[in-house]
Amino acid sequence: MLGLMQRHELLISAILEHAARHHGDTEIVTRRADGSSVRTNYIALAVRARKLASVLRRLGVNIGDRVGTLAMNSDRHLELYYAISGSGAVCNTINPRLSHDDIAYIADHAQDGLIFCDPAFVPIVAAIAPRLEALRAVVVLSDAAAMPKADLPPGVALHCYETLMDAAAAIDAWPRLDENTASALCYTSGTTGRPKGVLYSHRSSVLSAMASNFADVLALRATDRVAVVVPMFHVNAWGLPYIAPMAGAALLMPGPKLDPASLLSLLNEERATIAVGVPTIWLNLINHLRDSGQKMETLKRIIVGGAAMPRALIEAYNQLGVWVNHAWGMTESSPVVTLNAPKVSCLKLEGEAQLNRRASQGRVVFGVDLCVQDDTGCEVPWDGHSPGNMMFRGHWIASGYYRTPQDIGDGNWFPTGDVGVFDADGFITLTDRTKDLIKSGGEWISSIAIENIAVAHPEVAEAAAIAVPHEKWGERPLLIVVPLQGCMPAPENLREFCRGKMPDWSIPDRVIVVDSIPHGATGKILKSELRRIYASAR
Ligand code: AMP
């Protein structure tokens, strides 16, 4: 017997319709490149997204077509999210910080017919356009007065976004799509090999957004003002463009300026209550607060993922009265799979045990599952010290990559390439990426564990531990640190600092103090680059 309940397709357009109807006057604030703020709200967003849908139709976009975006976080990028997906086309957000070669590869692999870009990225599009067979038009996210010039190949039109919008009439209603229709396409960071496309559906995006806002996950409320510091080209800004309108929370979009002074001014002037971004952002911000003596006036909580948030940094924010939620996921998982929120058992923990628990990547959200397996595929015990390969599956996990033969299938465990340890309470601690582990004399050393200890040193701003080849031990850890401004910690002093905090044999043999560490396009430390630079360091 079947239940007697209504069935509606889970569609992204329904999120915007809900926000417009029930939270219409809730603000969306964007900082433009010149520092000015543009204020709009969910009603205005809904109207403009429908106008944009009619622009897309006029430009020949059909259901299933891929449309590229090369843009920072803004109201216009939000309009694109809703208009492209809402029309049944696929929003292919591309990271402008990637190399031109990778951007060209992605836009070509996705077969983007149109690319919408910020004025600052027009030179990138112009440089790669001759390599993009499918490209018909480039639309610059600008008004007519600020339109840049662009030298595009014959057959590729250049349009001004606001001019197109002025001439458009809003569509009457969003199409009623099948919920399994593809909605967005994000390519993975591609630290090894070519980037791979993860093709989200309306269903997976809506389910992921609903679950991501459970009380023990993001828990956004209609009274919140959320600073979306994670870029909209990084896993759909971790779902925030869907989650915030569902909850009726205000969105604060930083635009292109992500330096700590600009960020702090956005957080304070716009009364942010929650901010979301990668650890590097929070590291730079706390150093700026220390140097400038400024304060955070309204921020209550930050949600951090994308790379390990060091325990010392979590403590530093807690001392400022800002609660830190450490989360883990990846492009292939839409991304949220785990988030650190306490269980009853955590309330009994004290001191070191409590801090270590709070620094873990958290516990699994309903709708996805995670298991940790040994190399033979058996699940390892949840004992806090048996690491294994992290595998996940669920409603918002990829079943394969776009236009590549590798198919994981439905219901099967997806290998994440991360290594982690479950404790008895179901909290997972990531010990490494499989390829970043250090194997010394047959024993595994976690590079994240070394880095966490190093950044707790009072003179260290950032740290990376990598494996370097060793004749006797196979590999040994090398620690590379960036000191805090005005400090020059002695390498021997740093090694000494590690003593007692990790087994003696896993203390790095050598510490190198450098001015900066290379980061990839989504803010992660480029360990592959460090391994290349320091391959012969001993
Ligand atoms: P991306 O697909 O670019 O979001 O990268 C996903 C990868 O980032 C994961 O597989 C992890 O290796 C890493 N990552 C994400 N969140 C965390 C975290 N909280 N701690 C450690 N590594 C993380």
Side-chain angles (χ1 to χ4, degrees):
M1 190 191 289
L2 297 178
L4 273 173
M5 302 307 286
Q6 295 190 358
R7 187 195 145 94
H8 295 269
E9 303 298 309
L10 297 170
L11 295 181
I12 286 171
S13 54
I15 302 173
L16 186 54
E17 295 297 293
H18 168 83
R21 197 164 144 75
H22 298 285
H23 305 279
D25 59 357
T26 299
E27 269 194 323
I28 301 162
V29 183
T30 298
R31 283 273 162 94
R32 293 271 187 260
D34 63 5
S36 62
S37 292
V38 176
R39 315 186 94 80
T40 176
N41 59 30
Y42 285 125
I43 283 205
L45 175 67
V47 171
R48 280 182 54 97
R50 283 179 182 224
K51 269 188 163 199
L52 182 52
S54 114
V55 169
L56 293 172
R57 272 186 201 169
R58 226 201 83 200
L59 295 176
V61 175
N62 292 312
I63 289 183
D65 287 353
R66 276 78 59 214
V67 177
T69 71
L70 211 62
M72 303 304 287
N73 295 7
S74 72
D75 50 341
R76 290 174 178 143
H77 207 171
L78 263 181
E79 290 161 10
L80 285 162
Y81 261 50
Y82 280 99
I84 298 171
S85 306
S87 305
V90 179
C91 183
N92 173 216
T93 52
I94 309 177
N95 183 344
R97 297 177 192 142
L98 293 171
S99 67
H100 285 198
D101 192 44
D102 272 347
I103 295 174
Y105 172 83
I106 291 170
D108 185 50
H109 189 264
Q111 294 281 287
D112 291 331
L114 303 180
I115 294 182
F116 287 75
C117 68
D118 282 342
F121 304 133
V122 168
I124 302 180
V125 181
I128 62 168
R131 292 170 57 182
L132 307 181
E133 234 175 54
L135 189 66
R136 302 189 306 274
V138 175
V139 183
V140 184
L141 298 170
S142 155
D143 53 25
M147 263 302 276
K149 295 209 173 1
D151 189 11
L152 297 173
V156 179
L158 180 71
H159 295 289
C160 165
Y161 185 77
E162 293 300 339
T163 306
L164 292 174
M165 290 289 273
D166 285 346
I171 57 163
D172 292 334
W174 295 106
R176 288 170 178 257
L177 307 165
D178 179 317
E179 64 185 14
N180 294 307
T181 306
S183 58
L185 177 60
C186 280
Y187 282 72
T188 56
S189 315
T191 39
T192 51
R194 281 296 196 184
K196 287 185 279 187
V198 178
L199 188 60
Y200 307 103
S201 67
H202 284 256
R203 178 187 162 80
S204 72
S205 305
V206 172
L207 288 175
S208 157
M210 286 168 80
S212 295
N213 210 34
F214 288 159
D216 264 352
V217 193
L218 298 199
L220 302 189
R221 305 183 140 203
T223 46
D224 276 318
R225 296 176 64 82
V226 188
V228 186
V229 190
V230 53
M232 291 174 77
F233 49 76
H234 187 199
V235 209
N236 297 324
W238 303 352
L240 286 159
Y242 309 134
I243 303 166
M246 264 183 191
L251 280 169
L252 309 176
M253 307 302 238
K257 290 197 179 138
L258 296 176
D259 62 282
S262 306
L263 196 57
L264 186 62
S265 109
L266 176 78
L267 296 178
N268 284 344
E269 286 163 30
E270 295 302 336
R271 306 181 326 281
T273 54
I274 296 178
V276 186
V278 295
T280 323
I281 293 283
W282 309 120
L283 173 71
N284 293 341
L285 182 64
I286 206 139
N287 289 337
H288 176 74
L289 290 171
R290 283 177 186 141
D291 294 347
S292 66
Q294 287 176 279
K295 299 224 164 354
M296 266 177 321
E297 290 161 11
T298 54
L299 198 73
K300 295 189 178 68
R301 197 149 60 90
I302 57 177
I303 293 150
V304 194
M309 179 73 168
R311 200 183 91 172
L313 206 49
I314 296 178
E315 287 176 71
Y317 273 94
N318 286 171
Q319 276 160 17
L320 298 178
V322 177
W323 186 258
V324 178
N325 285 127
H326 193 188
W328 168 82
M330 54 201 297
T331 307
E332 289 84 339
S333 63
S334 307
V336 182
V337 174
T338 68
L339 184 130
N340 195 316
K343 274 184 171 179
V344 174
S345 58
C346 304
L347 306 177
K348 295 183 215 129
L349 296 175
E350 285 178 352
E352 285 292 301
Q354 189 192 57
L355 290 169
N356 286 339
R357 171 64 66 81
R358 296 257 313 278
S360 90
Q361 276 75 6
R363 56 195 169 79
V364 176
V365 176
F366 172 76
V368 281
D369 201 3
L370 178 68
C371 84
V372 178
Q373 298 179 352
D374 63 19
D375 289 339
T376 67
C378 293
E379 194 161 358
V380 299
W382 292 21
D383 58 8
H385 51 79
S386 300
N389 304 313
M390 292 166 64
M391 322 276 287
F392 52 37
R393 64 182 177 197
H395 297 295
W396 48 94
I397 303 293
S399 61
Y401 293 101
Y402 180 59
R403 289 183 57 210
T404 49
Q406 189 187 356
D407 184 14
I408 309 294
D410 283 339
N412 295 327
W413 292 108
F414 187 110
T416 67
D418 286 336
V419 178
V421 183
F422 262 128
D423 70 16
D425 284 329
F427 283 74
I428 187 96
T429 297
L430 225 85
T431 52
D432 244 313
R433 287 292 292 165
T434 318
K435 59 186 169 28
D436 292 338
L437 276 168
I438 303 160
K439 195 160 199 182
S440 177
E443 297 288 340
W444 294 110
I445 302 176
S446 155
S447 65
I448 294 180
I450 299 178
E451 290 155 11
N452 266 334
I453 292 168
V455 291
H457 188 283
E459 292 182 276
V460 170
E462 201 176 14
I466 56 164
V468 287
H470 191 278
E471 289 146 17
K472 182 168 174 197
W473 302 110
E475 289 176 350
R476 288 294 299 153
L478 168 73
L479 177 62
I480 301 154
V481 300
V482 179
L484 280 170
Q485 215 178 354
C487 300
M488 190 32 92
E492 205 33 54
N493 174 288
L494 286 162
R495 291 188 69 247
E496 211 37 54
F497 184 75
C498 295
R499 205 167 299 285
K501 301 184 180 79
M502 63 174 87
D504 277 358
W505 58 267
S506 55
I507 294 177
D509 295 339
R510 190 167 164 213
V511 179
I512 300 179
V513 181
V514 296
D515 290 338
S516 67
I517 287 177
H519 289 92
T522 51
K524 296 182 209 300
I525 292 177
L526 273 183
K527 295 235 175 134
S528 51
E529 182 65 5
L530 288 175
R531 279 192 289 265
R532 192 186 59 74
I533 299 171
Y534 297 104
S536 54
R538 292 282 300 275

